[in-house]
Amino acid sequence: MSFMRIPFTAPLPSPTIKPGSASSLEGAVTALHDFLTTPSPRSSNTVVLSGAGISVASGLADYRGSNGTYTLNKTYRPIYYHEFCASHEARKRYWARSFLGWTNLYRSRPNIAHEAVGTLGEMGIVSSVITQNVDSFHPKIHPDLRTLELHGYLRNCVCISCRTEYNRDKFQDDLASLNPTWAAFLNGMLESGALSTENPEERRRRGLKTNPDGDVDVPGIEYTTFRYPPCPKCLKDPPEGKRVEADADGAWSRTSTAGVLKPAVIMFGESISSHVKLAVESAIDSADRMLVLGSSLATYSAWRLAKKAKEEGMPIAIVNMGGVRNEELFMADVLPDGLGRHGVRCGLALEEVLPALVQRLRQDTTSGVSNETTFQPAPWR
């Protein structure tokens, strides 16, 4: 079985740029171009492994960057799966904080880096995307490019008992109906702009701590009054030997022994499903190189995939502004003065590097004639 772990809560060491020319935007694009276009004896397909860094430009928090959760909020500790399953009070706390943070996540949109990944797919360069992110930006912006969501997704809730999924946005309305005082509090924060600013320092001044995955902590607030609904299917037809009950308003009753809804994400301590594990390993097996985008690989479930690619002899390119777990393992055979085909380590912003890289690749299709138009993302719908 594969489990999520949370090592390296402190920032990782700064990257060692390879080749050295990749320290500039032009040099990084040249190295990545060489990495992606050098003929391979295998399939000539690239698998992308993306992390939280690719969504920062969309206004979402990361974990270990200069403004990351582990950097600004050193007391942050995500809920573990066994806690969520076992404790009614823990679920109240989780859903209350998720209720406050959902609006910002729901309003966020894919950015130019996600769009560029989709374009690489259209060009036939990228064959599939494995993402650690749960924001669903990849499948939204490039639905025709296969995306494997390693850690699940926040767009739905799922019942722990019957595994039925429900739309998270509709669930937000259910939470608001069950918690009118909280709904009024949320509306007040939205009207004041406390949740609309993307500046983490500004949010801290307003008394908020914004964490990844739509989690908002308001210091001093009590979560004991928060209520959440049971799984409608289990309420109507409880699993054999189980009891699912709701109070007069429709909230899950603590007399219940089943019917608990959780986010459709893989929580810390929860197993990644076997079919997802097999799918991501198959995606790596069918590729000939790996491009890591915006991930520190600090989570074991992602790190092991990069390790698998390396063990299979694939060159690896990493574009991440911060450090990467055991990056010397992946970059050991990359020459400081090489061209990029054997691997690249770049520390520049994805929203700068990827559009410029796409533009360079588009020039290849014009038989060496420079295309002077600049890369622009398509309107997101």
Side-chain angles (χ1 to χ4, degrees):
M1 291 188 297
S2 177
F3 295 92
M4 291 181 67
R5 310 172 186 177
I6 39 175
F8 307 120
T9 57
L12 291 153
S14 298
T16 300
I17 304 304
K18 289 186 176 182
S21 58
S23 59
S24 69
L25 178 58
E26 181 179 359
V29 169
T30 298
L32 289 168
H33 178 277
D34 190 57
F35 174 80
L36 293 174
T37 59
T38 297
S40 167
R42 297 180 62 176
S43 62
S44 297
N45 287 327
T46 301
V47 60
V48 165
L49 175 59
S50 73
I54 198 172
S55 293
V56 169
S58 295
L60 303 186
D62 65 355
Y63 290 85
R64 298 168 183 83
S66 59
N67 289 323
T69 295
Y70 293 150
T71 304
L72 297 181
N73 183 6
K74 297 184 184 301
T75 63
Y76 172 66
R77 178 184 176 276
I79 191 170
Y80 277 73
Y81 179 63
H82 73 274
E83 294 176 296
F84 187 93
C85 292
S87 172
H88 180 44
E89 295 304 315
R91 292 193 292 272
K92 289 181 184 180
R93 177 180 179 274
Y94 176 87
W95 283 125
R97 292 166 61 138
S98 177
F99 176 71
L100 297 179
W102 173 252
T103 300
N104 186 58
L105 180 63
Y106 181 72
R107 289 177 177 177
S108 298
R109 295 291 180 263
N111 62 60
I112 196 170
H114 299 100
E115 172 77 10
V117 170
T119 303
L120 292 175
E122 293 170 2
M123 290 178 169
I125 295 171
V126 169
S127 57
S128 58
V129 175
I130 301 169
T131 184
Q132 300 169 249
N133 300 338
V134 294
D135 51 36
S136 297
F137 287 169
H138 280 293
K140 284 178 181 177
I141 198 66
H142 50 70
D144 296 329
L145 176 60
R146 185 187 188 205
T147 298
L148 301 168
E149 295 171 292
L150 183 64
H151 296 159
Y153 39 83
L154 282 174
R155 62 180 179 269
N156 285 348
C157 302
V158 61
C159 178
I160 293 174
S161 304
C162 70
R163 308 309 298 178
T164 301
E165 293 194 6
Y166 300 95
N167 179 269
R168 176 62 180 83
D169 195 39
K170 171 61 169 60
F171 188 70
Q172 183 78 357
D173 294 337
D174 295 339
L175 294 177
S177 297
L178 287 173
N179 302 278
T181 302
W182 284 82
F185 176 63
L186 173 58
N187 289 334
M189 287 203 298
L190 291 171
E191 290 174 1
S192 71
L195 286 176
S196 61
T197 176
E198 297 176 2
N199 186 322
E201 294 294 341
E202 176 65 19
R203 288 197 177 188
R204 290 208 301 169
R205 283 194 292 270
R206 293 173 182 265
L208 303 176
K209 291 182 179 179
T210 305
N211 301 311
D213 305 341
D215 176 274
V216 171
D217 181 13
V218 183
I221 201 168
E222 293 291 334
Y223 303 106
T224 56
T225 63
F226 199 83
R227 300 186 295 170
Y228 55 90
C231 167
K233 182 176 183 296
C234 288
L235 182 63
K236 182 179 180 180
D237 183 20
E240 184 176 356
K242 300 293 183 178
R243 182 173 62 253
V244 181
E245 298 175 340
D247 65 17
D249 296 321
W252 189 88
S253 172
R254 64 188 317 145
T255 59
S256 300
T257 57
V260 170
L261 292 171
K262 68 176 283 289
V265 300
I266 304 301
M267 290 180 160
F268 288 97
E270 183 179 2
S271 298
I272 294 174
S273 65
S274 58
H275 78 274
V276 171
K277 181 180 178 182
L278 289 173
V280 297
E281 291 182 351
S282 176
I284 293 172
D285 290 339
S286 63
D288 67 333
R289 58 177 69 90
M290 174 178 280
L291 176 59
V292 179
L293 301 176
S295 176
S296 64
L297 301 180
T299 302
Y300 179 75
S301 54
W303 181 83
R304 72 174 183 86
L305 297 179
K307 182 173 180 287
K308 173 180 172 62
K310 189 66 177 179
E311 289 173 346
E312 293 187 8
M314 294 186 198
I316 297 176
I318 302 174
V319 185
N320 190 58
M321 294 183 71
V324 169
R325 176 183 182 178
N326 297 140
E327 65 178 70
E328 65 279 359
L329 170 68
F330 307 113
M331 296 291 118
D333 54 355
V334 179
L335 298 176
D337 56 353
L339 298 175
R341 62 193 60 187
H342 300 300
V344 178
R345 179 61 173 103
C346 170
L348 300 177
L350 287 168
E351 60 270 23
E352 295 179 341
V353 173
L354 291 184
L357 175 62
V358 167
Q359 184 64 22
R360 174 72 177 274
L361 291 164
R362 280 179 170 166
Q363 291 174 6
D364 292 346
T365 64
T366 61
S367 301
V369 178
S370 176
N371 182 348
E372 295 183 357
T373 59
T374 57
F375 175 72
Q376 296 292 337
W380 185 84
R381 295 183 293 272

